[in-house]
Amino acid sequence: MPRAVPFDLDRLRDEALRPIGEKLIAGERLSFADGVTLFTSPDLLGVGAMADAANRAKHGDRVTFASNQHINPTNICVLRKTCVFCGYARLPKEEGAYRYTLDQVLAESDRADGTITREFHIVGGLDMQTGLAYYTEMFRALKTRHPQVHIKALTAVEIAHIARIEKMSREDVLIALREAGLDTLPGGGAETFSAAVREQIADKKLGGTDYIDVHRTAHKLGIRSNCTMLYGHVETIEDRMQHLTMLRDLQDETGGFLAYIPLAYHPDDNELGKTLGRTGTSTTGFDDLRNLAVGRLFLDNFDHIKSHWIMVTSALTQIALHFGVNDIEGTVVREKIYHAVGAHTPQGMTLAQLLQLIRGAGKQPAERDSFYQVIREFTDADNGEEAADTTQAAVA
Ligand code: V47
Ligand code: SF4
């Protein structure tokens, strides 16, 4: 059962939201139909106010971030032609294709030296040459070189790909990766689960039920994970709700999800954007805030709702801190995937910029580890100066 949340119903201007506000106050779970109402109500501020109340009940004014570094070891991907929303992947012989050697991965990881980076977020394409040994060697070497750094790596889609090319079960792949140093799974690869949507945007990709199955297997092994939803392309509101319902159901079953991160679709430099005739920013600020707020309200069994500022800008992320968001993607060194599809945000944010963003929203910044344990609270006078800044060199 969700917790009862104090809320002033007079803040709602849309009568259709009232029964939802009453459920919030009573600690009752929202239905699929409630989710549709939240997605369609003209009263975005009312939706946001409820999400803010639900968030405050869990986290007060605290907003967390983790200092992480993205490493994308290969952009070679067998699904390059069928994931039409992706601008990052290349075929093996295509211009721009790359696959890092272990030494290149280690050289990139050394950017973490002398910084506050505590997590490597490692994802890439479905490359036939990067099987289990490629990743187990990589994780072992990374753990030896940076023992303090958490490894959040390989989406459900990549796990299933490795299992297929190695002719192993997904469970055995996860066990081997964990032995090599894998700590948690990121949430990528989910897109939108609906079969009709997948047929249009990611025809050959691991299906929604299988994505859930890989996460279930991981959770049962004690490997926690994040989850995402790609929105703002061809999906309907019902598709979004089906997706959120599947995530909420698995969370009821395992409790293994750490955070939910809605991802705004970017249309530049990918086939889908051309087909839809869209360029620039595809989602609206309204839709970005609404997706975050609905995530907070509907996913009552999730502790953390994260805004990926790279996708929706840091300005919108700041406002989202009043729409149910309690966590922001931290200092992301050398992000490549969204910058391949037209994200115009910087490739990283400094610690000082992050603190300014959070404080500017009237919130209290706290650095967390990858399991959401708070490592450091920042008092108003504390600018984290004694901690080396992660991105100064990297964003140049
Ligand atoms: O699965 C690909 C998305 C995802 C586009 O777990 C696109 O902490 C928008 O999942 N427009 C990978 N999005 C990134 C991801 C993620 C990011 C940050 C934090 C975490 C976490 C996970 O990027 C892919 C796909 O959904 N993506 N192309 C595009 N054109
Ligand atoms: Fe490959 Fe992932 Fe891009 Fe699909 S979204 S083409 S699986 S890298």
Side-chain angles (χ1 to χ4, degrees):
M1 275 289 284
R3 67 173 70 185
V5 172
F7 183 68
D8 176 4
L9 290 170
D10 288 342
R11 295 182 72 185
L12 302 177
R13 285 182 290 117
D14 176 7
E15 274 306 304
L17 291 180
R18 235 184 141 78
I20 299 176
E22 283 163 359
K23 283 188 180 177
L24 189 69
I25 294 167
E28 278 173 44
R29 180 159 263 198
L30 303 189
S31 67
F32 189 103
D34 292 332
V36 173
T37 304
L38 290 170
F39 269 123
T40 48
S41 168
D43 183 10
L44 176 70
L45 291 181
V47 173
M50 289 192 284
D52 188 46
N55 183 40
R56 278 174 194 280
K58 284 191 168 154
H59 302 289
D61 275 331
R62 179 187 278 160
V63 172
T64 50
F65 63 89
S67 298
N68 64 12
Q69 176 178 343
H70 284 215
I71 302 178
N72 305 122
T74 173
N75 66 351
I76 297 174
C77 186
V78 291
L79 298 188
R80 189 250 185 278
K81 294 284 181 196
T82 53
C83 287
V84 290
F85 61 89
C86 174
Y88 167 73
R90 295 286 180 274
L91 291 172
K93 299 221 159 36
E94 208 174 334
E95 200 189 330
Y98 73 87
R99 178 188 306 119
Y100 287 166
T101 61
L102 181 56
D103 283 346
Q104 285 173 307
V105 170
L106 294 178
E108 184 135 341
S109 75
D110 286 348
R111 289 170 176 275
D113 289 343
T115 73
I116 58 168
T117 295
R118 288 175 201 275
E119 177 183 286
F120 292 134
H121 178 163
I122 305 172
V123 289
L126 310 184
D127 183 344
M128 294 307 286
Q129 303 303 316
T130 60
L132 186 59
Y134 178 83
Y135 288 107
T136 51
E137 272 172 36
M138 182 193 300
F139 296 169
R140 285 205 169 90
L142 285 172
K143 281 286 183 187
T144 307
R145 209 161 166 118
H146 308 277
Q148 79 290 1
V149 180
H150 175 110
I151 297 185
K152 179 174 80 182
L154 300 175
T155 65
V157 179
E158 292 171 275
I159 298 291
H161 170 75
I162 295 170
R164 197 168 51 245
I165 62 179
E166 301 289 357
K167 299 190 175 48
M168 288 169 70
S169 71
R170 293 166 185 171
E171 183 173 5
D172 285 345
V173 168
L174 284 164
I175 290 170
L177 290 167
R178 183 176 56 184
E179 276 169 17
L182 175 79
D183 293 302
T184 53
L185 298 186
E191 320 322 346
T192 315
F193 292 149
S194 142
V197 170
R198 266 184 143 66
E199 202 177 298
Q200 291 177 71
I201 72 161
D203 193 19
K204 298 275 187 294
K205 195 168 204 164
L206 187 77
T209 316
D210 279 305
Y211 174 99
I212 290 288
D213 183 59
V214 172
H215 283 265
R216 177 186 289 111
T217 307
H219 295 174
K220 293 206 162 141
L221 291 170
I223 302 171
R224 304 200 65 187
S225 65
N226 287 343
C227 56
T228 59
M229 174 173 76
L230 186 68
Y231 66 91
H233 42 90
V234 301
E235 85 289 357
T236 63
I237 299 302
E238 284 72 21
D239 293 329
R240 292 181 185 179
M241 286 313 303
Q242 177 203 6
H243 189 104
L244 291 176
T245 303
M246 286 168 74
L247 296 178
R248 191 172 75 174
D249 286 351
L250 182 64
Q251 184 72 333
D252 275 345
E253 190 186 322
T254 65
F257 283 129
L258 288 161
Y260 167 66
I261 312 138
L263 297 173
Y265 168 63
H266 273 232
D268 285 349
D269 302 315
N270 58 79
E271 283 310 306
L272 182 63
K274 284 183 209 145
T275 314
L276 297 174
R278 292 197 208 148
T279 50
T281 309
S282 168
T283 57
T284 63
F286 254 57
D287 208 20
D288 294 333
L289 290 173
R290 199 189 289 271
N291 269 281
L292 290 158
V294 179
R296 169 58 73 199
L297 288 167
F298 189 77
L299 299 177
D300 55 42
N301 50 3
F302 278 63
D303 283 338
H304 307 290
I305 305 295
K306 172 154 88 172
S307 171
H308 195 27
W309 64 267
I310 293 264
M311 306 301 290
V312 294
T313 76
S314 52
L316 187 127
T317 291
Q318 190 181 39
I319 298 167
L321 302 183
H322 291 269
F323 280 73
V325 169
N326 73 300
D327 187 56
I328 57 184
E329 184 78 357
T331 50
V332 185
V333 179
R334 282 163 75 80
E335 201 287 325
K336 288 196 183 124
I337 295 180
Y338 310 109
H339 289 87
V341 290
H344 301 297
T345 47
Q347 279 190 297
M349 217 195 283
T350 63
L351 180 59
Q353 286 167 332
L354 265 170
L355 296 177
Q356 190 186 21
L357 183 154
I358 296 169
R359 287 185 182 132
K363 298 278 183 170
Q364 312 243 286
E367 188 188 351
R368 62 162 174 85
D369 70 12
S370 302
F371 292 109
Y372 284 84
Q373 301 301 313
V374 170
I375 298 167
R376 177 172 178 185
E377 304 265 14
F378 291 83
T379 60
D380 286 349
D382 182 358
N383 282 318
E385 265 146 17
E386 78 273 24
D389 211 326
T390 325
T391 55
Q392 299 287 17
V395 292

